[in-house]
Coordinates of all heavy atoms in Angstrom, one line a residue:
M9 N 0.8 -1.2 0.0 CA 0.0 0.0 0.0 C 0.9 1.2 0.0 O 1.9 1.3 0.7 CB -0.9 0.0 1.2 CG -1.8 1.2 1.3 SD -3.2 1.0 2.5 CE -2.3 1.4 4.0
A10 N 0.6 2.2 -0.8 CA 1.4 3.4 -0.9 C 1.1 4.3 0.3 O 0.0 4.4 0.9 CB 1.0 4.2 -2.2
D11 N 2.2 5.0 0.7 CA 2.1 5.9 1.9 C 1.5 7.3 1.4 O 1.1 8.1 2.3 CB 3.4 6.1 2.5 CG 3.9 4.8 3.2 OD1 3.1 4.1 3.7 OD2 5.1 4.6 3.3
G12 N 1.6 7.6 0.2 CA 1.1 8.8 -0.3 C 1.6 9.1 -1.7 O 2.3 8.2 -2.3
F13 N 1.4 10.2 -2.2 CA 1.9 10.5 -3.6 C 2.0 12.1 -3.7 O 1.4 12.8 -3.0 CB 1.1 9.9 -4.7 CG -0.3 10.3 -4.7 CD1 -0.8 11.4 -5.4 CD2 -1.3 9.5 -4.0 CE1 -2.1 11.7 -5.4 CE2 -2.6 9.9 -4.0 CZ -3.0 11.0 -4.7
D14 N 2.8 12.5 -4.7 CA 2.9 13.9 -5.0 C 1.9 14.3 -6.1 O 1.6 13.5 -6.9 CB 4.3 14.2 -5.5 CG 5.4 14.0 -4.5 OD1 5.1 14.1 -3.3 OD2 6.5 13.7 -4.8
I15 N 1.5 15.5 -6.0 CA 0.6 16.1 -7.0 C 1.3 17.2 -7.7 O 1.8 18.1 -7.0 CB -0.8 16.5 -6.4 CG1 -1.5 15.3 -5.8 CG2 -1.6 17.2 -7.4 CD1 -2.7 15.7 -5.0
H16 N 1.3 17.3 -9.0 CA 1.9 18.4 -9.7 C 0.8 19.4 -10.1 O -0.2 19.0 -10.6 CB 2.6 17.9 -11.0 CG 3.1 19.0 -11.8 ND1 4.3 19.6 -11.5 CD2 2.7 19.6 -12.9 CE1 4.6 20.6 -12.3 NE2 3.5 20.6 -13.2
L17 N 1.2 20.7 -9.8 CA 0.3 21.8 -10.2 C 1.0 22.5 -11.3 O 2.2 22.7 -11.3 CB 0.1 22.7 -9.0 CG -0.6 22.1 -7.8 CD1 -0.7 23.2 -6.7 CD2 -1.9 21.6 -8.1
N18 N 0.2 22.9 -12.3 CA 0.8 23.8 -13.4 C 1.0 25.2 -12.8 O 0.6 25.5 -11.7 CB 0.0 23.8 -14.7 CG -1.4 24.4 -14.5 OD1 -1.6 25.3 -13.8 ND2 -2.4 23.8 -15.2
A19 N 1.6 26.1 -13.5 CA 1.9 27.4 -13.0 C 0.7 28.2 -12.6 O 0.7 28.8 -11.6 CB 2.7 28.2 -14.1
D20 N -0.4 28.1 -13.4 CA -1.6 28.8 -13.0 C -2.3 28.3 -11.8 O -2.7 29.0 -10.9 CB -2.6 28.8 -14.2 CG -3.9 29.6 -13.9 OD1 -3.8 30.8 -13.6 OD2 -5.0 29.0 -13.9
Q21 N -2.3 26.9 -11.7 CA -2.9 26.3 -10.5 C -2.0 26.7 -9.2 O -2.6 27.0 -8.2 CB -2.9 24.8 -10.6 CG -3.9 24.3 -11.6 CD -3.7 22.9 -12.0 OE1 -2.6 22.4 -12.0 NE2 -4.8 22.2 -12.3
A22 N -0.7 26.7 -9.4 CA 0.1 27.1 -8.2 C -0.1 28.5 -7.8 O -0.1 28.8 -6.6 CB 1.6 26.8 -8.6
R23 N -0.2 29.4 -8.8 CA -0.5 30.8 -8.5 C -1.8 31.0 -7.8 O -1.9 31.7 -6.8 CB -0.5 31.6 -9.8 CG -0.8 33.1 -9.6 CD -1.1 33.8 -11.0 NE -2.1 33.2 -11.7 CZ -3.4 33.3 -11.4 NH1 -3.8 34.1 -10.4 NH2 -4.4 32.8 -12.2
R24 N -2.8 30.3 -8.2 CA -4.1 30.5 -7.6 C -4.1 29.8 -6.2 O -4.7 30.4 -5.3 CB -5.2 29.8 -8.5 CG -5.5 30.6 -9.8 CD -6.6 30.1 -10.6 NE -6.3 28.9 -11.2 CZ -7.0 27.8 -11.2 NH1 -8.2 27.8 -10.6 NH2 -6.6 26.7 -11.8
L25 N -3.4 28.7 -6.0 CA -3.3 28.1 -4.7 C -2.6 29.0 -3.7 O -3.1 29.3 -2.6 CB -2.6 26.8 -4.8 CG -2.3 26.1 -3.4 CD1 -3.6 25.8 -2.7 CD2 -1.5 24.9 -3.7
K26 N -1.5 29.6 -4.2 CA -0.8 30.5 -3.3 C -1.6 31.8 -3.0 O -1.6 32.2 -1.8 CB 0.5 31.0 -4.0 CG 1.4 31.9 -3.2 CD 2.7 32.2 -3.9 CE 3.5 33.1 -3.0 NZ 4.7 33.7 -3.6
A27 N -2.4 32.3 -3.9 CA -3.2 33.5 -3.6 C -4.3 33.1 -2.6 O -4.6 33.9 -1.7 CB -3.8 34.0 -4.9
A28 N -4.9 32.0 -2.8 CA -6.0 31.6 -1.9 C -5.5 31.3 -0.5 O -6.1 31.7 0.5 CB -6.7 30.3 -2.4
A29 N -4.3 30.7 -0.4 CA -3.7 30.4 0.9 C -3.3 31.7 1.6 O -3.5 31.9 2.8 CB -2.4 29.5 0.7
E30 N -2.7 32.7 0.8 CA -2.3 33.9 1.4 C -3.6 34.7 1.9 O -3.6 35.2 3.0 CB -1.6 34.8 0.4 CG -0.2 34.3 0.2 CD 0.5 35.1 -0.9 OE1 -0.1 36.0 -1.6 OE2 1.7 34.9 -1.2
A31 N -4.7 34.6 1.2 CA -5.9 35.3 1.6 C -6.4 34.6 2.9 O -7.0 35.3 3.7 CB -7.0 35.2 0.5
A32 N -6.2 33.3 3.0 CA -6.7 32.6 4.2 C -5.7 32.7 5.4 O -6.0 32.3 6.5 CB -6.9 31.1 3.9
G33 N -4.5 33.2 5.1 CA -3.5 33.4 6.1 C -2.8 32.1 6.5 O -2.3 32.0 7.7
V34 N -2.7 31.2 5.6 CA -2.0 29.9 5.9 C -1.0 29.6 4.7 O -1.0 30.2 3.7 CB -3.0 28.7 6.0 CG1 -3.9 29.0 7.2 CG2 -3.8 28.5 4.8
E35 N -0.1 28.6 5.0 CA 0.8 28.2 3.9 C 0.0 27.4 2.8 O -1.0 26.7 3.1 CB 1.8 27.2 4.6 CG 2.8 27.9 5.5 CD 3.6 28.9 4.8 OE1 4.2 28.6 3.7 OE2 3.8 30.1 5.3
P36 N 0.5 27.5 1.6 CA -0.1 26.8 0.5 C -0.3 25.3 0.7 O -1.4 24.8 0.4 CB 0.8 27.1 -0.7 CG 1.4 28.4 -0.4 CD 1.6 28.3 1.1
T37 N 0.6 24.6 1.3 CA 0.5 23.2 1.5 C -0.6 22.9 2.5 O -1.5 22.0 2.3 CB 1.8 22.6 2.1 OG1 2.8 22.8 1.1 CG2 1.7 21.1 2.3
A38 N -0.7 23.7 3.6 CA -1.7 23.5 4.6 C -3.1 23.8 4.0 O -4.1 23.0 4.2 CB -1.5 24.4 5.8
Y39 N -3.2 24.8 3.2 CA -4.4 25.2 2.5 C -4.9 24.1 1.6 O -6.1 23.7 1.6 CB -4.3 26.5 1.7 CG -5.5 27.0 1.2 CD1 -6.4 27.8 1.9 CD2 -6.0 26.7 -0.1 CE1 -7.6 28.3 1.4 CE2 -7.1 27.1 -0.6 CZ -7.9 28.0 0.1 OH -9.1 28.4 -0.4
A40 N -4.0 23.5 0.8 CA -4.3 22.5 -0.2 C -4.8 21.2 0.6 O -5.7 20.6 0.1 CB -3.1 22.1 -1.1
L41 N -4.1 20.9 1.6 CA -4.5 19.7 2.4 C -5.9 19.8 3.0 O -6.7 18.9 2.9 CB -3.5 19.3 3.5 CG -2.1 18.8 3.0 CD1 -1.1 18.7 4.1 CD2 -2.3 17.5 2.3
K42 N -6.2 21.0 3.5 CA -7.5 21.3 4.1 C -8.6 21.2 3.0 O -9.6 20.6 3.2 CB -7.5 22.6 4.8 CG -8.8 23.0 5.4 CD -9.0 22.2 6.6 CE -10.3 22.7 7.4 NZ -10.7 21.8 8.4
A43 N -8.2 21.8 1.8 CA -9.2 21.8 0.7 C -9.5 20.3 0.3 O -10.6 19.9 0.0 CB -8.7 22.6 -0.4
L44 N -8.4 19.5 0.2 CA -8.6 18.1 -0.2 C -9.4 17.4 0.8 O -10.3 16.6 0.4 CB -7.2 17.4 -0.4 CG -6.5 17.8 -1.7 CD1 -5.1 17.2 -1.6 CD2 -7.3 17.3 -2.9
E45 N -9.2 17.6 2.1 CA -9.9 16.9 3.1 C -11.4 17.2 3.0 O -12.3 16.4 3.3 CB -9.4 17.3 4.5 CG -8.1 16.6 4.9 CD -8.2 15.1 4.9 OE1 -9.3 14.6 5.4 OE2 -7.3 14.4 4.5
G46 N -11.7 18.5 2.6 CA -13.1 18.9 2.5 C -13.8 18.3 1.3 O -15.1 18.3 1.3
V47 N -13.1 17.8 0.3 CA -13.8 17.2 -0.9 C -13.6 15.7 -1.1 O -14.3 15.1 -1.9 CB -13.4 18.0 -2.2 CG1 -13.8 19.4 -2.1 CG2 -11.9 17.8 -2.5
I48 N -12.7 15.1 -0.4 CA -12.4 13.7 -0.5 C -13.7 12.9 -0.1 O -14.0 11.9 -0.8 CB -11.2 13.3 0.2 CG1 -9.9 13.8 -0.5 CG2 -11.1 11.7 0.3 CD1 -8.7 13.6 0.3
G49 N -14.3 13.2 0.9 CA -15.5 12.5 1.4 C -15.1 11.3 2.1 O -13.9 11.0 2.4
D50 N -16.1 10.5 2.5 CA -15.9 9.3 3.3 C -15.7 8.1 2.3 O -16.4 8.0 1.3 CB -17.1 9.0 4.2 CG -17.3 10.1 5.2 OD1 -16.2 10.6 5.7 OD2 -18.4 10.4 5.6
I51 N -14.8 7.3 2.7 CA -14.6 6.1 1.9 C -15.6 5.0 2.4 O -15.7 4.8 3.6 CB -13.2 5.5 2.1 CG1 -12.1 6.6 1.7 CG2 -12.9 4.3 1.3 CD1 -12.2 7.0 0.2
S52 N -16.2 4.4 1.5 CA -17.1 3.3 1.9 C -16.8 2.0 1.1 O -15.9 2.1 0.3 CB -18.6 3.7 1.6 OG -18.8 3.8 0.2
I53 N -17.5 1.0 1.3 CA -17.2 -0.3 0.6 C -17.5 -0.1 -0.9 O -16.9 -0.8 -1.7 CB -18.0 -1.4 1.2 CG1 -17.4 -2.7 0.8 CG2 -19.5 -1.3 0.8 CD1 -17.8 -3.9 1.6
T54 N -18.3 0.9 -1.3 CA -18.6 1.1 -2.7 C -17.7 2.1 -3.3 O -17.8 2.4 -4.5 CB -20.1 1.5 -2.9 OG1 -20.3 2.7 -2.2 CG2 -21.0 0.4 -2.4
G55 N -16.8 2.7 -2.5 CA -15.9 3.7 -3.0 C -16.1 5.0 -2.3 O -16.6 5.1 -1.2
V56 N -15.7 6.1 -3.0 CA -15.7 7.4 -2.4 C -17.2 8.0 -2.4 O -17.9 7.9 -3.4 CB -14.8 8.4 -3.2 CG1 -14.9 9.8 -2.6 CG2 -13.4 7.9 -3.1
S57 N -17.5 8.6 -1.3 CA -18.9 9.3 -1.3 C -19.0 10.3 -2.4 O -18.0 10.9 -2.7 CB -19.0 10.0 0.1 OG -20.2 10.8 0.1
E58 N -20.1 10.5 -2.9 CA -20.3 11.5 -4.0 C -20.4 12.9 -3.5 O -20.4 13.8 -4.2 CB -21.5 11.2 -4.8 CG -22.8 11.3 -4.1 CD -24.0 10.9 -5.0 OE1 -24.4 11.8 -5.8 OE2 -24.5 9.8 -4.9
Y59 N -20.4 13.0 -2.1 CA -20.5 14.4 -1.5 C -19.3 14.6 -0.7 O -18.7 13.8 -0.1 CB -21.7 14.4 -0.6 CG -23.0 14.2 -1.4 CD1 -23.7 13.0 -1.2 CD2 -23.5 15.1 -2.2 CE1 -24.9 12.8 -1.9 CE2 -24.7 14.9 -3.0 CZ -25.4 13.7 -2.8 OH -26.5 13.5 -3.5
P60 N -18.8 15.9 -0.7 CA -17.6 16.2 0.1 C -17.9 16.0 1.6 O -19.0 16.1 2.1 CB -17.5 17.7 -0.2 CG -18.2 18.0 -1.5 CD -19.3 17.0 -1.5
A61 N -16.8 15.6 2.3 CA -16.9 15.2 3.7 C -17.4 16.4 4.5 O -18.2 16.2 5.4 CB -15.5 14.8 4.2
A62 N -17.1 17.6 4.1 CA -17.6 18.8 4.9 C -19.1 18.9 4.8 O -19.8 19.3 5.7 CB -16.9 20.1 4.4
W63 N -19.7 18.6 3.6 CA -21.1 18.6 3.4 C -21.8 17.6 4.3 O -22.8 17.8 4.9 CB -21.5 18.4 2.0 CG -21.1 19.5 1.0 CD1 -20.3 20.6 1.3 CD2 -21.4 19.6 -0.3 NE1 -20.2 21.4 0.2 CE2 -20.8 20.8 -0.8 CE3 -22.1 18.8 -1.2 CZ2 -21.0 21.2 -2.2 CZ3 -22.3 19.2 -2.5 CH2 -21.7 20.3 -3.0
V64 N -21.2 16.4 4.3 CA -21.8 15.3 5.0 C -21.8 15.6 6.5 O -22.8 15.4 7.2 CB -21.0 14.0 4.7 CG1 -21.5 12.8 5.6 CG2 -21.1 13.6 3.3
A65 N -20.7 16.2 7.0 CA -20.5 16.5 8.4 C -21.5 17.6 8.8 O -22.2 17.5 9.8 CB -19.1 17.0 8.7
E66 N -21.7 18.6 7.9 CA -22.6 19.7 8.2 C -24.1 19.2 8.2 O -24.9 19.5 9.1 CB -22.5 20.8 7.1 CG -23.4 22.0 7.4 CD -23.3 23.1 6.4 OE1 -22.5 23.0 5.5 OE2 -24.1 24.0 6.5
D67 N -24.4 18.3 7.2 CA -25.7 17.7 7.2 C -26.0 17.0 8.5 O -27.1 17.1 9.1 CB -25.9 16.7 6.1 CG -26.0 17.4 4.7 OD1 -26.1 18.6 4.7 OD2 -25.8 16.7 3.7
A68 N -25.0 16.2 9.0 CA -25.2 15.4 10.2 C -25.4 16.4 11.4 O -26.3 16.1 12.3 CB -24.0 14.5 10.5
E69 N -24.7 17.4 11.5 CA -24.8 18.4 12.6 C -26.2 19.1 12.5 O -26.8 19.2 13.6 CB -23.7 19.5 12.5 CG -22.3 19.0 12.8 CD -21.2 20.0 12.5 OE1 -21.6 21.2 12.3 OE2 -20.1 19.6 12.5
R70 N -26.6 19.5 11.3 CA -27.9 20.2 11.2 C -29.0 19.2 11.6 O -30.0 19.6 12.2 CB -28.1 20.7 9.8 CG -27.2 21.9 9.5 CD -27.4 22.4 8.1 NE -26.5 23.5 7.8 CZ -26.9 24.8 7.8 NH1 -28.1 25.1 8.2 NH2 -26.0 25.7 7.5
W71 N -28.9 17.9 11.1 CA -30.0 17.0 11.5 C -30.0 16.7 13.0 O -31.1 16.7 13.5 CB -29.7 15.7 10.7 CG -30.8 14.7 11.0 CD1 -30.7 13.5 11.7 CD2 -32.2 14.7 10.5 NE1 -32.0 12.9 11.8 CE2 -32.9 13.6 11.0 CE3 -32.9 15.6 9.8 CZ2 -34.2 13.4 10.8 CZ3 -34.2 15.4 9.5 CH2 -34.9 14.3 10.0
A72 N -28.9 16.6 13.6 CA -28.8 16.4 15.1 C -29.5 17.6 15.8 O -30.2 17.4 16.7 CB -27.4 16.2 15.5
E73 N -29.2 18.8 15.3 CA -29.8 20.0 15.9 C -31.3 20.0 15.8 O -32.1 20.3 16.7 CB -29.2 21.2 15.3 CG -29.7 22.5 15.9 CD -29.3 22.8 17.4 OE1 -28.4 22.0 17.9 OE2 -29.9 23.7 18.0
Y74 N -31.8 19.6 14.6 CA -33.2 19.6 14.3 C -33.9 18.5 15.2 O -34.9 18.8 15.8 CB -33.5 19.2 12.9 CG -34.9 18.9 12.6 CD1 -35.9 19.8 12.7 CD2 -35.3 17.5 12.5 CE1 -37.3 19.5 12.5 CE2 -36.7 17.2 12.3 CZ -37.6 18.2 12.3 OH -39.0 17.9 12.2
E75 N -33.2 17.3 15.3 CA -33.8 16.3 16.2 C -33.8 16.7 17.7 O -34.8 16.4 18.4 CB -33.0 15.0 16.1 CG -33.3 14.3 14.8 CD -32.7 12.9 14.7 OE1 -31.5 12.8 15.1 OE2 -33.4 12.0 14.2
R76 N -32.8 17.5 18.1 CA -32.8 18.0 19.4 C -33.8 19.0 19.7 O -34.5 19.0 20.8 CB -31.4 18.5 19.7 CG -31.1 18.9 21.2 CD -29.7 19.4 21.4 NE -29.4 20.7 20.8 CZ -29.9 21.9 21.3 NH1 -30.6 21.9 22.4 NH2 -29.6 23.0 20.6
T77 N -34.0 20.0 18.8 CA -34.9 21.1 19.0 C -36.2 21.1 18.3 O -37.1 21.8 18.7 CB -34.2 22.4 18.6 OG1 -33.9 22.4 17.2 CG2 -32.8 22.6 19.4
G78 N -36.3 20.5 17.1 CA -37.5 20.5 16.3 C -37.6 21.8 15.5 O -38.6 22.0 14.9
V79 N -36.6 22.7 15.6 CA -36.6 24.0 15.0 C -36.0 23.9 13.6 O -35.0 23.3 13.4 CB -35.9 25.0 15.8 CG1 -35.8 26.4 15.1 CG2 -36.5 25.2 17.2
T80 N -36.7 24.5 12.6 CA -36.2 24.5 11.3 C -36.0 26.0 10.9 O -36.3 26.9 11.7 CB -37.3 24.0 10.2 OG1 -38.5 24.8 10.3 CG2 -37.6 22.5 10.5
I81 N -35.3 26.2 9.8 CA -35.0 27.6 9.3 C -35.6 27.7 8.0 O -35.7 26.8 7.2 CB -33.5 27.9 9.3 CG1 -32.8 27.0 8.4 CG2 -32.9 27.9 10.7 CD1 -31.3 27.4 8.2
P82 N -36.0 29.0 7.6 CA -36.6 29.2 6.3 C -35.6 28.9 5.2 O -34.4 29.1 5.4 CB -36.9 30.7 6.3 CG -37.0 31.1 7.7 CD -36.1 30.2 8.4
L83 N -36.0 28.4 4.1 CA -35.2 28.0 3.0 C -34.3 29.2 2.5 O -33.1 29.1 2.2 CB -36.0 27.5 1.8 CG -35.2 27.1 0.5 CD1 -34.2 26.0 0.9 CD2 -36.1 26.7 -0.6
E84 N -34.9 30.4 2.5 CA -34.2 31.6 2.1 C -33.0 31.8 3.0 O -31.9 32.2 2.5 CB -35.1 32.9 2.2 CG -36.2 32.9 1.2 CD -37.4 32.0 1.6 OE1 -37.5 31.6 2.8 OE2 -38.2 31.7 0.7
D85 N -33.1 31.6 4.3 CA -31.9 31.7 5.2 C -30.9 30.7 5.0 O -29.7 30.9 5.0 CB -32.4 31.6 6.7 CG -33.3 32.8 7.1 OD1 -33.4 33.8 6.4 OD2 -33.9 32.7 8.2
A86 N -31.4 29.4 4.7 CA -30.5 28.3 4.5 C -29.6 28.6 3.2 O -28.5 28.2 3.1 CB -31.2 27.0 4.4
L87 N -30.2 29.2 2.2 CA -29.6 29.4 0.9 C -28.8 30.7 0.8 O -28.2 31.0 -0.2 CB -30.6 29.3 -0.2 CG -31.2 27.9 -0.4 CD1 -32.2 27.9 -1.5 CD2 -30.1 26.9 -0.7
A88 N -28.9 31.6 1.9 CA -28.3 32.9 1.8 C -26.8 32.8 1.5 O -26.3 33.6 0.7 CB -28.5 33.7 3.1
A89 N -26.1 31.9 2.2 CA -24.6 31.8 2.0 C -24.3 31.3 0.6 O -23.4 31.8 -0.1 CB -24.0 30.9 3.0
F90 N -25.1 30.4 0.1 CA -25.0 29.9 -1.3 C -25.2 31.0 -2.3 O -24.4 31.2 -3.2 CB -25.9 28.7 -1.5 CG -26.0 28.3 -3.0 CD1 -25.0 27.4 -3.4 CD2 -26.9 28.7 -3.8 CE1 -25.0 27.0 -4.8 CE2 -27.0 28.3 -5.2 CZ -26.0 27.4 -5.6
D91 N -26.2 31.8 -2.1 CA -26.5 32.9 -3.0 C -25.4 33.9 -3.0 O -25.0 34.4 -4.1 CB -27.9 33.5 -2.6 CG -29.1 32.7 -2.9 OD1 -29.0 31.7 -3.7 OD2 -30.1 32.9 -2.3
A92 N -24.9 34.2 -1.8 CA -23.8 35.2 -1.7 C -22.6 34.7 -2.4 O -21.9 35.5 -3.2 CB -23.5 35.5 -0.3
A93 N -22.2 33.4 -2.3 CA -21.0 32.9 -2.9 C -21.2 32.9 -4.4 O -20.3 33.2 -5.2 CB -20.8 31.5 -2.4
L94 N -22.4 32.5 -4.9 CA -22.7 32.5 -6.3 C -22.6 33.9 -6.9 O -22.0 34.1 -8.0 CB -24.1 31.9 -6.6 CG -24.5 31.8 -8.0 CD1 -23.6 31.0 -8.9 CD2 -25.9 31.3 -8.1
D95 N -23.2 34.9 -6.2 CA -23.1 36.3 -6.7 C -21.7 36.7 -6.8 O -21.3 37.4 -7.8 CB -23.9 37.2 -5.7 CG -25.4 37.1 -5.8 OD1 -25.9 36.5 -6.8 OD2 -26.1 37.5 -4.9
E96 N -20.8 36.4 -5.8 CA -19.4 36.8 -5.8 C -18.7 36.1 -7.0 O -17.9 36.8 -7.7 CB -18.7 36.4 -4.5 CG -17.3 36.8 -4.5 CD -16.9 38.2 -4.8 OE1 -17.8 39.1 -4.4 OE2 -15.9 38.5 -5.4
K97 N -19.0 34.9 -7.3 CA -18.3 34.2 -8.4 C -18.7 34.8 -9.7 O -17.9 34.9 -10.6 CB -18.6 32.7 -8.3 CG -17.8 32.0 -7.3 CD -18.1 30.5 -7.4 CE -17.4 29.8 -6.2 NZ -16.3 29.0 -6.6
L98 N -20.0 35.1 -9.8 CA -20.5 35.7 -11.1 C -19.9 37.1 -11.3 O -19.5 37.5 -12.4 CB -22.0 35.8 -11.1 CG -22.7 34.5 -11.2 CD1 -24.2 34.6 -11.0 CD2 -22.4 33.8 -12.5
R99 N -19.8 37.9 -10.2 CA -19.1 39.2 -10.3 C -17.6 39.1 -10.7 O -17.2 39.8 -11.6 CB -19.2 40.0 -9.0 CG -20.5 40.7 -8.8 CD -20.5 41.7 -7.6 NE -20.2 41.0 -6.3 CZ -21.1 40.5 -5.5 NH1 -22.4 40.4 -5.9 NH2 -20.7 39.9 -4.4
A100 N -17.0 38.1 -10.1 CA -15.5 37.9 -10.4 C -15.4 37.4 -11.9 O -14.4 37.9 -12.6 CB -14.9 36.8 -9.5
K101 N -16.3 36.6 -12.3 CA -16.2 36.1 -13.7 C -16.5 37.3 -14.7 O -15.9 37.3 -15.8 CB -17.3 35.0 -13.9 CG -17.2 34.3 -15.2 CD -18.1 33.1 -15.3 CE -18.0 32.4 -16.6 NZ -18.9 31.2 -16.7
A102 N -17.3 38.2 -14.3 CA -17.7 39.3 -15.2 C -16.5 40.4 -15.4 O -16.5 41.1 -16.3 CB -18.9 40.0 -14.7
R103 N -15.6 40.3 -14.4 CA -14.5 41.3 -14.5 C -13.5 41.0 -15.6 O -13.3 40.1 -16.1 CB -13.7 41.3 -13.1 CG -14.5 41.8 -12.0 CD -13.8 41.8 -10.7 NE -14.7 41.7 -9.6 CZ -14.5 41.2 -8.5 NH1 -13.4 40.6 -8.2 NH2 -15.4 41.2 -7.5

């Protein structure tokens, strides 16, 4: 079994990784590892989960909170962060 492997980034990918890491205030390697952990997902007998691990964890936390309290939130509130991120990406793309 392999202990790990190296990943090659092209110049543009390396530049974008460095910029994102600097914006987050961390080293590029730490940023990349955190990003990978967020999207790798859980390994199961059938393979990799189709959803990022961070989403699965958030879903579990939200479900546990709902079961504990019975309180729900309006869909508009739940989607506010998604809408804001989408708006930002669209603005950046238009530049």
Side-chain angles (χ1 to χ4, degrees):
M9 181 166 80
D11 292 330
F13 58 91
D14 295 331
I15 297 174
H16 176 78
L17 301 177
N18 65 36
D20 182 57
Q21 292 167 327
R23 178 193 55 77
R24 290 185 291 132
L25 173 61
K26 184 177 179 187
E30 286 176 357
V34 298
E35 292 296 316
T37 300
Y39 187 88
L41 290 172
K42 182 70 173 170
L44 283 171
E45 285 297 323
V47 297
I48 288 174
D50 296 325
I51 303 298
S52 70
I53 199 161
T54 60
V56 177
S57 170
E58 65 182 282
Y59 300 107
W63 292 6
V64 174
E66 182 180 356
D67 288 349
E69 290 171 15
R70 288 179 184 260
W71 183 251
E73 180 68 11
Y74 168 74
E75 286 187 318
R76 187 178 69 76
T77 65
V79 175
T80 61
I81 60 173
L83 180 60
E84 293 79 15
D85 293 349
L87 294 177
F90 173 80
D91 289 340
L94 179 59
D95 288 344
E96 178 57 33
K97 285 186 185 247
L98 291 173
R99 278 193 298 276
K101 189 175 182 179
R103 293 181 202 149

